[in-house]
């Protein structure tokens, strides 16, 4: 197979600076996969009541607690919600939006679009956007890839839809632009080290197991990573799932972690959309 160079450019910002003298930024991202998570993992889970209930826990039980946590600490968040989950739990989407948080795109059924053809990919994006817009009154401006599935056509699709940002790639610690012949997109990098699935992940079917790590294990990893990103002036972006971190013990751990990060005056706590808008404005100023 002959490999071709990707037809896009990465526009980096040397000596990147956060606004108002901040040293780093924190964007808390919640992936509200709900029932779509187990179904996307194995379609047979559509009839597996226990697996569905585990996913639904993240919406019916955990999400109200998480909204209370963010309200108590006055920390904004971005909630990436598949269209299917929004259809099953429309009141939850409305509650997130009314609380002032960002509602962002996460596919329709948590599809890994890397495995879809372009027509299927387009349908996933349009369906998801229409459902979220119908509930919130605003089209989502950002997306994070379920299963980290991303290709050039996906970037181009996001640009065509007028999206502001993607948050799926892992090469840098600060934001940058993905530039294609069809336009550009802000990239807000993520990392597996800030993915709760890597510490606590599991599924009821087909493998029927998971990991129950001590909460202190996660707290130490994420606090240390925050300290490192603050030192280097980076962006702390999370891939957190309500059904995983919404357990009582883990929410209490998050309270300590979020309080620690908020204790620094030089940390910018913002939504993904706010950070992406800042990056886009900076890019236009130095164009």
């Amino acid at each position: 197979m002959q490999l071709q160079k990707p037809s896009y450019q990465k526009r980096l910002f040397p000596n990147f600076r956060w606004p108002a003298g901040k040293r780093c930024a924190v964007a808390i991202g919640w992936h509200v996969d709900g029932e779509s998570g187990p179904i996307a993992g194995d379609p047979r889970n559509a009839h597996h009541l226990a697996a569905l209930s585990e996913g639904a826990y993240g919406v019916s039980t955990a999400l109200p607690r998480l909204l209370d946590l963010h309200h108590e600490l006055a920390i904004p968040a971005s909630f990436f919600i598949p269209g299917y989950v929004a259809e099953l739990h429309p009141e939850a989407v409305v509650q997130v939006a009314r609380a002032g948080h960002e509602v962002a795109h996460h596919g329709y059924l948590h599809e890994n679009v890397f495995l879809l053809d372009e027509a299927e990919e387009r349908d996933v994006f349009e369906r998801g956007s229409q459902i979220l817009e119908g509930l919130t009154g605003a089209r989502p401006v950002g997306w994070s890839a379920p299963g980290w599935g991303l290709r050039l056509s996906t970037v181009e699709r996001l640009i065509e839809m007028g999206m502001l940002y993607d948050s799926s790639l892992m090469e840098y610690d600060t934001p940058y632009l993905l530039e294609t012949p069809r336009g550009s997109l802000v990239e807000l990098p993520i990392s597996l080290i800030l993915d709760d699935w890597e510490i606590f992940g599991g599924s009821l079917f087909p493998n029927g197991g998971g990991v129950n790590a001590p909460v202190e294990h996660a707290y130490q990893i994420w606090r240390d990573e925050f300290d490192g990103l603050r030192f280097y002036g980076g962006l702390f972006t999370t891939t957190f799932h309500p059904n995983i971190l919404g357990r009582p013990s883990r929410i209490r751990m998050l309270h300590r972690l979020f309080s620690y990060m908020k204790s620094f005056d030089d940390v910018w706590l913002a939504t993904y959309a706010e950070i992406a808008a800042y990056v886009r404005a900076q890019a236009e100023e130095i164009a």
Side-chain angles (χ1 to χ4, degrees), residues 10 15 26 29 37 42 50 80 86 120 141 158 167 169-170 181-182 191 208 214 219 223 232 242 249 253:
K10 292 172 286 187
N15 302 315
V26 170
D42 191 315
F80 297 86
E120 293 170 328
V141 300
L158 294 169
S167 185
L169 302 183
M170 309 184 188
R182 300 189 186 184
S191 171
Y219 177 81
R223 174 170 168 163
Y232 285 106
S249 60
M253 177 270 291

mmCIF file of all heavy atoms in Angstrom, residues 10 15 26 29 37 42 50 80 86 120 141 158 167 169-170 181-182 191 208 214 219 223 232 242 249 253:
data_model
loop_
_atom_site.group_PDB
_atom_site.id
_atom_site.type_symbol
_atom_site.label_atom_id
_atom_site.label_comp_id
_atom_site.label_asym_id
_atom_site.label_seq_id
_atom_site.Cartn_x
_atom_site.Cartn_y
_atom_site.Cartn_z
ATOM 1 N N LYS A 10 -0.898 21.622 10.263
ATOM 2 C CA LYS A 10 -1.090 21.966 11.671
ATOM 3 C C LYS A 10 -0.468 23.337 11.902
ATOM 4 O O LYS A 10 0.743 23.499 11.753
ATOM 5 C CB LYS A 10 -0.450 20.911 12.573
ATOM 6 C CG LYS A 10 -1.141 19.560 12.518
ATOM 7 C CD LYS A 10 -0.375 18.499 13.268
ATOM 8 C CE LYS A 10 0.850 18.065 12.499
ATOM 9 N NZ LYS A 10 1.526 16.900 13.131
ATOM 10 N N ASN A 15 5.162 30.152 21.521
ATOM 11 C CA ASN A 15 5.014 31.019 22.698
ATOM 12 C C ASN A 15 3.541 31.327 22.978
ATOM 13 O O ASN A 15 3.164 32.460 23.278
ATOM 14 C CB ASN A 15 5.793 32.320 22.506
ATOM 15 C CG ASN A 15 7.268 32.069 22.261
ATOM 16 O OD1 ASN A 15 7.892 31.266 22.946
ATOM 17 N ND2 ASN A 15 7.827 32.742 21.253
ATOM 18 N N VAL A 26 -8.084 24.996 32.172
ATOM 19 C CA VAL A 26 -8.739 23.733 32.536
ATOM 20 C C VAL A 26 -10.104 23.698 31.877
ATOM 21 O O VAL A 26 -10.911 24.621 32.049
ATOM 22 C CB VAL A 26 -8.890 23.594 34.065
ATOM 23 C CG1 VAL A 26 -9.794 22.412 34.406
ATOM 24 C CG2 VAL A 26 -7.529 23.434 34.723
ATOM 25 N N GLY A 29 -14.400 18.104 30.501
ATOM 26 C CA GLY A 29 -15.252 17.514 29.481
ATOM 27 C C GLY A 29 -15.913 16.240 29.986
ATOM 28 O O GLY A 29 -15.225 15.313 30.450
ATOM 29 N N GLY A 37 -23.258 3.994 24.926
ATOM 30 C CA GLY A 37 -21.939 3.423 25.109
ATOM 31 C C GLY A 37 -21.905 1.914 24.950
ATOM 32 O O GLY A 37 -21.172 1.383 24.103
ATOM 33 N N ASP A 42 -21.160 -3.132 21.516
ATOM 34 C CA ASP A 42 -21.687 -4.405 21.014
ATOM 35 C C ASP A 42 -23.188 -4.236 20.809
ATOM 36 O O ASP A 42 -23.915 -4.037 21.784
ATOM 37 C CB ASP A 42 -21.420 -5.539 22.006
ATOM 38 C CG ASP A 42 -21.705 -6.919 21.420
ATOM 39 O OD1 ASP A 42 -22.754 -7.082 20.774
ATOM 40 O OD2 ASP A 42 -20.874 -7.830 21.611
ATOM 41 N N ALA A 50 -28.992 -5.100 32.005
ATOM 42 C CA ALA A 50 -28.001 -4.702 33.009
ATOM 43 C C ALA A 50 -26.983 -3.733 32.408
ATOM 44 O O ALA A 50 -26.613 -2.733 33.031
ATOM 45 C CB ALA A 50 -27.305 -5.929 33.583
ATOM 46 N N PHE A 80 -20.453 16.400 26.266
ATOM 47 C CA PHE A 80 -20.527 15.805 24.931
ATOM 48 C C PHE A 80 -21.585 14.694 24.969
ATOM 49 O O PHE A 80 -21.401 13.683 25.660
ATOM 50 C CB PHE A 80 -19.166 15.256 24.521
ATOM 51 C CG PHE A 80 -18.108 16.320 24.402
ATOM 52 C CD1 PHE A 80 -17.369 16.726 25.508
ATOM 53 C CD2 PHE A 80 -17.873 16.941 23.183
ATOM 54 C CE1 PHE A 80 -16.404 17.721 25.405
ATOM 55 C CE2 PHE A 80 -16.912 17.935 23.065
ATOM 56 C CZ PHE A 80 -16.174 18.334 24.177
ATOM 57 N N ALA A 86 -29.638 11.944 24.013
ATOM 58 C CA ALA A 86 -30.477 13.144 24.136
ATOM 59 C C ALA A 86 -31.941 12.820 23.869
ATOM 60 O O ALA A 86 -32.838 13.374 24.520
ATOM 61 C CB ALA A 86 -29.988 14.222 23.171
ATOM 62 N N GLU A 120 -22.539 7.800 5.729
ATOM 63 C CA GLU A 120 -22.937 7.436 7.084
ATOM 64 C C GLU A 120 -22.417 8.463 8.090
ATOM 65 O O GLU A 120 -23.119 8.844 9.025
ATOM 66 C CB GLU A 120 -22.420 6.040 7.433
ATOM 67 C CG GLU A 120 -23.056 4.925 6.621
ATOM 68 C CD GLU A 120 -22.352 3.600 6.816
ATOM 69 O OE1 GLU A 120 -21.109 3.605 7.034
ATOM 70 O OE2 GLU A 120 -23.021 2.559 6.735
ATOM 71 N N VAL A 141 -21.137 23.599 18.680
ATOM 72 C CA VAL A 141 -20.001 24.181 17.954
ATOM 73 C C VAL A 141 -18.749 23.324 18.066
ATOM 74 O O VAL A 141 -17.725 23.644 17.456
ATOM 75 C CB VAL A 141 -19.696 25.608 18.450
ATOM 76 C CG1 VAL A 141 -20.890 26.515 18.251
ATOM 77 C CG2 VAL A 141 -19.247 25.609 19.910
ATOM 78 N N LEU A 158 -16.678 18.513 9.780
ATOM 79 C CA LEU A 158 -16.874 19.470 10.869
ATOM 80 C C LEU A 158 -16.764 20.905 10.365
ATOM 81 O O LEU A 158 -17.541 21.778 10.761
ATOM 82 C CB LEU A 158 -15.849 19.213 11.977
ATOM 83 C CG LEU A 158 -15.977 17.880 12.738
ATOM 84 C CD1 LEU A 158 -14.749 17.651 13.605
ATOM 85 C CD2 LEU A 158 -17.233 17.847 13.573
ATOM 86 N N SER A 167 -11.985 18.040 19.551
ATOM 87 C CA SER A 167 -11.156 17.690 20.698
ATOM 88 C C SER A 167 -10.970 16.176 20.709
ATOM 89 O O SER A 167 -11.672 15.448 21.419
ATOM 90 C CB SER A 167 -11.793 18.165 22.007
ATOM 91 O OG SER A 167 -10.926 17.925 23.098
ATOM 92 N N LEU A 169 -7.509 14.808 19.190
ATOM 93 C CA LEU A 169 -6.125 14.485 18.862
ATOM 94 C C LEU A 169 -5.221 14.675 20.081
ATOM 95 O O LEU A 169 -5.597 15.331 21.049
ATOM 96 C CB LEU A 169 -5.658 15.336 17.689
ATOM 97 C CG LEU A 169 -6.503 15.185 16.418
ATOM 98 C CD1 LEU A 169 -5.925 16.020 15.283
ATOM 99 C CD2 LEU A 169 -6.627 13.722 15.994
ATOM 100 N N MET A 170 -4.009 14.118 19.997
ATOM 101 C CA MET A 170 -3.208 13.961 21.213
ATOM 102 C C MET A 170 -1.747 14.381 21.074
ATOM 103 O O MET A 170 -0.917 14.021 21.907
ATOM 104 C CB MET A 170 -3.250 12.493 21.671
ATOM 105 C CG MET A 170 -4.648 11.929 21.787
ATOM 106 S SD MET A 170 -4.672 10.241 22.427
ATOM 107 C CE MET A 170 -6.401 9.823 22.218
ATOM 108 N N PRO A 181 -7.841 22.415 2.758
ATOM 109 C CA PRO A 181 -8.304 23.229 1.629
ATOM 110 C C PRO A 181 -9.731 23.744 1.810
ATOM 111 O O PRO A 181 -10.116 24.717 1.155
ATOM 112 C CB PRO A 181 -8.204 22.266 0.447
ATOM 113 C CG PRO A 181 -7.122 21.308 0.833
ATOM 114 C CD PRO A 181 -7.305 21.114 2.311
ATOM 115 N N ARG A 182 -10.500 23.153 2.695
ATOM 116 C CA ARG A 182 -11.882 23.567 2.910
ATOM 117 C C ARG A 182 -12.051 24.525 4.086
ATOM 118 O O ARG A 182 -13.166 24.951 4.380
ATOM 119 C CB ARG A 182 -12.767 22.333 3.121
ATOM 120 C CG ARG A 182 -12.748 21.378 1.938
ATOM 121 C CD ARG A 182 -13.773 20.289 2.076
ATOM 122 N NE ARG A 182 -13.657 19.307 1.006
ATOM 123 C CZ ARG A 182 -14.483 18.267 0.827
ATOM 124 N NH1 ARG A 182 -15.491 18.095 1.677
ATOM 125 N NH2 ARG A 182 -14.291 17.420 -0.168
ATOM 126 N N SER A 191 -5.754 13.702 26.078
ATOM 127 C CA SER A 191 -4.749 12.690 26.382
ATOM 128 C C SER A 191 -5.400 11.526 27.119
ATOM 129 O O SER A 191 -6.344 11.721 27.900
ATOM 130 C CB SER A 191 -3.635 13.280 27.253
ATOM 131 O OG SER A 191 -2.768 12.252 27.708
ATOM 132 N N GLY A 208 -17.694 -8.756 30.687
ATOM 133 C CA GLY A 208 -18.270 -8.882 32.019
ATOM 134 C C GLY A 208 -17.373 -8.503 33.165
ATOM 135 O O GLY A 208 -17.437 -9.105 34.235
ATOM 136 N N PRO A 214 -8.526 2.334 43.413
ATOM 137 C CA PRO A 214 -8.795 3.283 44.498
ATOM 138 C C PRO A 214 -8.900 4.707 43.951
ATOM 139 O O PRO A 214 -8.181 5.086 43.028
ATOM 140 C CB PRO A 214 -7.567 3.136 45.410
ATOM 141 C CG PRO A 214 -6.936 1.847 45.037
ATOM 142 C CD PRO A 214 -7.239 1.650 43.589
ATOM 143 N N TYR A 219 -6.855 10.364 41.712
ATOM 144 C CA TYR A 219 -6.597 11.726 42.204
ATOM 145 C C TYR A 219 -5.129 12.094 42.035
ATOM 146 O O TYR A 219 -4.809 13.199 41.570
ATOM 147 C CB TYR A 219 -7.002 11.833 43.674
ATOM 148 C CG TYR A 219 -6.703 13.188 44.287
ATOM 149 C CD1 TYR A 219 -7.564 14.265 44.088
ATOM 150 C CD2 TYR A 219 -5.555 13.395 45.056
ATOM 151 C CE1 TYR A 219 -7.292 15.512 44.633
ATOM 152 C CE2 TYR A 219 -5.277 14.635 45.598
ATOM 153 C CZ TYR A 219 -6.145 15.689 45.388
ATOM 154 O OH TYR A 219 -5.862 16.919 45.925
ATOM 155 N N ARG A 223 -3.981 15.042 39.573
ATOM 156 C CA ARG A 223 -3.381 16.212 40.212
ATOM 157 C C ARG A 223 -1.955 16.421 39.697
ATOM 158 O O ARG A 223 -1.555 17.547 39.403
ATOM 159 C CB ARG A 223 -3.386 16.060 41.731
ATOM 160 C CG ARG A 223 -2.651 17.188 42.443
ATOM 161 C CD ARG A 223 -2.847 17.172 43.934
ATOM 162 N NE ARG A 223 -1.911 18.082 44.588
ATOM 163 C CZ ARG A 223 -2.031 18.533 45.828
ATOM 164 N NH1 ARG A 223 -3.054 18.142 46.572
ATOM 165 N NH2 ARG A 223 -1.150 19.352 46.346
ATOM 166 N N TYR A 232 4.044 23.863 32.442
ATOM 167 C CA TYR A 232 4.400 24.067 31.042
ATOM 168 C C TYR A 232 3.413 24.968 30.289
ATOM 169 O O TYR A 232 3.595 25.214 29.095
ATOM 170 C CB TYR A 232 4.493 22.717 30.328
ATOM 171 C CG TYR A 232 5.753 21.947 30.681
ATOM 172 C CD1 TYR A 232 5.692 20.842 31.517
ATOM 173 C CD2 TYR A 232 6.991 22.334 30.172
ATOM 174 C CE1 TYR A 232 6.847 20.130 31.839
ATOM 175 C CE2 TYR A 232 8.146 21.631 30.491
ATOM 176 C CZ TYR A 232 8.071 20.537 31.316
ATOM 177 O OH TYR A 232 9.208 19.841 31.637
ATOM 178 N N PRO A 242 -19.899 10.247 33.187
ATOM 179 C CA PRO A 242 -20.727 10.279 34.399
ATOM 180 C C PRO A 242 -20.995 8.912 35.009
ATOM 181 O O PRO A 242 -21.054 8.781 36.238
ATOM 182 C CB PRO A 242 -22.026 10.936 33.913
ATOM 183 C CG PRO A 242 -21.598 11.808 32.786
ATOM 184 C CD PRO A 242 -20.514 11.027 32.095
ATOM 185 N N SER A 249 -18.168 7.853 45.827
ATOM 186 C CA SER A 249 -16.792 8.030 46.285
ATOM 187 C C SER A 249 -15.974 8.836 45.287
ATOM 188 O O SER A 249 -15.118 9.653 45.677
ATOM 189 C CB SER A 249 -16.131 6.667 46.505
ATOM 190 O OG SER A 249 -16.117 5.918 45.299
ATOM 191 N N MET A 253 -13.973 12.613 45.446
ATOM 192 C CA MET A 253 -12.594 12.805 45.001
ATOM 193 C C MET A 253 -12.519 13.963 44.011
ATOM 194 O O MET A 253 -11.592 14.788 44.070
ATOM 195 C CB MET A 253 -12.067 11.514 44.355
ATOM 196 C CG MET A 253 -10.660 11.620 43.779
ATOM 197 S SD MET A 253 -10.640 12.141 42.035
ATOM 198 C CE MET A 253 -11.348 10.700 41.251
#
